[in-house]
Amino acid sequence: MPMTADWTAFDAAARDDANARIVDQFAADPDRLDRMSVEAAGLYLDLSKQSWTRTGFEACLDLARSAGVEAARARLFGGEAINSTEGRAVLHPALRAATGAAFKALGEPVSAEVDAVRTDMAAYATAVRSGAETGATGKAFTAIVHIGIGGSDLGPRVVWDALRPLNPSIDLRFVANIDPRDMAEALTGLDPETTLVVVVSKTFTTQETLANARAAQAWLADGLPETGRDRHFIGVTAAPERATAFGCARTFAFRDWVGGRYSLWSAVSLSCVIALGPEVFEALLAGAAAMDDHFVSAPLERNAPVLMALAQIWNVDGLGRPARTVAPYAHALRRLPAFLQQLEMESNGKRVHRDGSPVTRQTCPVVFGEPGTNGQHAFFQQIHQGPQVVPAEFVVVKATHGEATESPLWANALAQAQALMVGKTTDAAHAELLAAGESPGEADRLASHKTFPGNRPSTTVVMDRLTPETLGALLALYEHKTFVEGVIWDINSFDQWGVELGKVLAKAILADVAAGAPSAGLDPSTAGLLRRLTD
């Protein structure tokens, strides 16, 4: 990536802002809150507690313009091959567009096919939910076991956790880990006669997924007659012929322009469509489509995904902060940090530019997090008083359970963001200790321990209620944020070669296990571990 004038200006602004106090910027720039907050698709974003001054903020916007974010956005929605290493379009927005849209992938119309699959999913889900679609013994399905990993698991799982009723009529369980314990836990208490297994794999070659699918097949075979047993085994894939050959009675397809970590809007979420109902899934899609509309139409300076992306680039590249924490203050969003880990780190954890040349700047930070108050009693100590500055993201839901406003919950979120920004001086800590009755000597001894440096940035995302629409908007917000970052860093956000090498080597190690000895040339450490585990 060449050092353009705007990168130079960006770096200069970052140097100037490095020691600026966030809290002082509100007086220096009275319009700061209005400028750095935005409403979009049912979400309110406040980025005014980020570490930029107005000059730094403008430098970030200039960087987005010079990087061609708007042109890249048009190529994304136009179905061009923006996944350059695999020669594919990236068209997850087509999956949530209104019926009758006109998306094209590499010039091929795809919206009619998307509409047809969505219609088939809704019809099948309705049949299962009503009892019209039954298992081998004529009993209605009351449980689903969803088998998948990565994007075939995390997206549907975050949707189910966020929207599931407290007492669902259909129990949905997920299996991702190849550890047999995961499958055993999922199957415990289930009856094969009333259980539907949905196997999700883009290629239908994923080792972990196929191993778990075979285990599920064996479980079904132990408890069901052969006739009609295949009705309990459904495939979701971009390779339907492989799913059929594997034994799936019915297959719901999606295309290779649907990336795994962007696929929850497709048939990948069939399990959720059945368990939650087609109308809930349609509302989820509508919320995401509303965020798509905002992303396409809003100017960069008022564009929620763009501003979120620029805040991250400012922290990572401008101020050298290699991690970010996400704290959803809603139990139903407890899987959001794990979802974002894959979305962002698999998309943008790259070391080369689009042309294959090495990057000269940092790219994606480490993303981690826990639900709200749980995290406060775990790692928040570090983000308040540790020497590293870790930007934080607070996702706040006004009413998390029913209609009641959960002020004890969201008040904690506001307080944490405020504390990160304002901190507490040593003098203030000393005065508090004296007021609490400590002797001057004890106050001197303890004051530094109770000092908070403050000036630590955060973004807060607020929604009134967690609904299918606001959940869809939230997830689409992060998708587009990730895309914008990739454009500015000049990396391909839609391949994942980093996950491939380990898969290849795992097959070689399994061959060594079968042979009973390490193969020639295996490094001493791996060979020693293999012997230790096979003895």
Side-chain angles (χ1 to χ4, degrees):
M1 175 169 43
M3 280 291 288
T4 67
D6 290 307
W7 272 113
T8 302
F10 173 94
D11 289 336
R15 287 192 295 271
D16 290 344
D17 283 7
N19 296 314
R21 299 288 297 181
I22 300 169
V23 70
D24 295 341
Q25 301 310 309
F26 291 93
D29 179 9
D31 296 328
R32 180 180 176 91
L33 178 60
D34 289 339
R35 182 179 300 105
M36 298 180 189
S37 60
V38 62
E39 299 256 9
L43 308 179
Y44 173 79
L45 283 73
D46 177 4
L47 294 99
S48 65
K49 293 188 182 74
Q50 283 295 334
S51 292
W52 43 31
T53 63
R54 183 168 182 178
T55 300
F57 180 73
E58 295 295 338
C60 288
L61 288 169
D62 289 342
L63 188 64
R65 295 184 184 104
S66 71
V69 166
E70 291 161 308
R73 179 182 63 194
R75 292 195 296 273
L76 168 73
F77 281 82
E80 296 183 27
I82 63 171
N83 180 351
S84 53
T85 60
E86 297 177 298
R88 293 173 179 167
V90 179
L91 266 185
H92 44 280
L95 299 170
R96 57 227 190 186
T99 301
F103 278 89
K104 294 181 179 180
L106 306 184
E108 176 192 0
V110 298
S111 290
E113 179 182 329
V114 169
D115 293 345
V117 172
R118 197 186 299 173
T119 298
D120 288 347
M121 290 167 59
Y124 181 72
T126 299
V128 172
R129 290 173 62 82
S130 68
E133 177 76 19
T134 64
T137 61
K139 293 184 178 180
F141 293 113
T142 59
I144 301 170
V145 175
H146 177 113
I147 300 173
I149 197 167
S152 297
D153 167 76
L154 289 167
R157 196 187 290 250
V158 79
V159 169
W160 174 247
D161 281 355
L163 301 178
R164 61 171 294 170
L166 292 179
N167 186 26
S169 59
I170 296 179
D171 184 12
L172 174 54
R173 304 183 184 186
F174 292 85
V175 179
N177 202 318
I178 199 171
D179 184 340
R181 174 77 184 202
D182 196 11
M183 178 63 75
E185 289 183 358
L187 296 180
T188 296
L190 297 186
D191 180 353
E193 292 188 69
T194 57
T195 300
L196 178 68
V197 175
V198 178
V199 182
V200 184
S201 174
K202 183 172 182 178
T203 63
F204 237 79
T205 60
T206 306
Q207 180 189 58
E208 298 93 334
T209 298
L210 295 189
N212 283 325
R214 291 186 189 98
Q217 281 180 320
W219 180 76
L220 292 171
D222 285 344
L224 294 172
E226 183 174 356
T227 302
R229 188 193 306 153
D230 59 353
R231 294 207 299 272
H232 294 253
F233 203 72
I234 304 298
V236 176
T237 182
E241 69 288 346
R242 290 184 186 145
T244 300
F246 195 87
C248 296
R250 184 168 182 175
T251 299
F252 293 84
F254 58 96
R255 298 286 290 274
D256 65 4
W257 44 258
V258 181
R261 54 194 173 275
Y262 300 88
S263 66
L264 72 91
W265 320 102
S266 72
V268 165
S269 287
L270 175 66
S271 300
C272 293
V273 180
I274 299 169
L276 295 171
E279 68 286 350
V280 174
F281 187 65
E282 288 296 325
L284 177 81
L285 299 182
M291 183 57 72
D292 292 342
D293 291 343
H294 166 81
F295 179 51
V296 167
S297 62
L300 298 187
E301 66 273 14
R302 302 299 301 160
N303 195 299
V306 172
L307 296 182
M308 292 274 281
L310 292 177
Q312 176 141 297
I313 290 170
W314 182 249
N315 281 306
V316 171
D317 269 300
L319 301 175
R321 296 164 178 172
R324 174 175 119 258
T325 188
V326 179
Y329 276 73
H331 180 69
L333 289 173
R334 59 193 176 276
R335 296 295 298 178
L336 180 64
F339 173 81
L340 295 179
Q341 281 178 335
Q342 189 205 15
L343 173 64
E344 299 190 33
M345 296 172 71
E346 191 169 87
S347 294
N348 289 340
K350 307 293 171 60
R351 58 175 296 278
V352 297
H353 293 303
R354 291 178 180 274
D355 64 4
S357 61
V359 299
T360 57
R361 310 183 69 94
Q362 296 302 307
T363 58
C364 185
V366 173
V367 180
F368 70 99
E370 274 289 316
T373 51
N374 301 29
Q376 291 175 205
H377 294 271
F379 56 83
F380 273 41
Q381 164 63 41
Q382 195 278 341
I383 68 173
H384 280 291
Q385 289 188 311
Q388 308 95 334
V389 175
V390 179
E393 215 154 82
F394 299 96
V395 181
V396 178
V397 181
K398 180 179 178 181
T400 62
H401 184 59
E403 299 298 326
T405 297
E406 301 298 332
S407 53
L409 181 61
W410 57 250
N412 271 278
L414 271 57
Q416 292 296 324
Q418 181 186 24
L420 285 167
M421 179 176 69
V422 302
K424 182 190 292 186
T425 65
T426 302
D427 287 346
H430 192 274
E432 285 183 4
L433 288 163
L434 291 176
E438 299 288 356
S439 68
E442 189 68 359
D444 290 344
R445 186 179 72 85
L446 292 176
S448 62
H449 293 276
K450 298 197 173 188
T451 298
F452 292 71
N455 207 34
R456 304 198 165 194
S458 67
T459 292
T460 301
V461 181
V462 177
M463 64 186 78
D464 287 339
R465 294 178 61 231
L466 181 58
T467 66
E469 292 87 350
T470 55
L471 177 65
L474 181 70
L475 300 180
L477 166 71
Y478 281 109
E479 287 180 343
H480 294 318
K481 164 191 175 291
T482 301
F483 166 72
V484 171
E485 291 163 2
V487 172
I488 294 174
W489 283 320
D490 187 32
I491 57 179
N492 183 0
S493 300
F494 303 107
D495 60 13
Q496 54 281 330
W497 303 108
V499 307
E500 299 300 325
L501 179 59
K503 292 181 181 179
V504 173
L505 295 182
K507 290 179 181 178
I509 289 173
L510 286 171
D512 288 352
V513 172
S519 55
L522 194 63
D523 69 89
S525 174
T526 305
L529 290 167
L530 191 152
R531 291 190 189 96
R532 176 65 178 79
L533 289 165
T534 54
D535 285 346

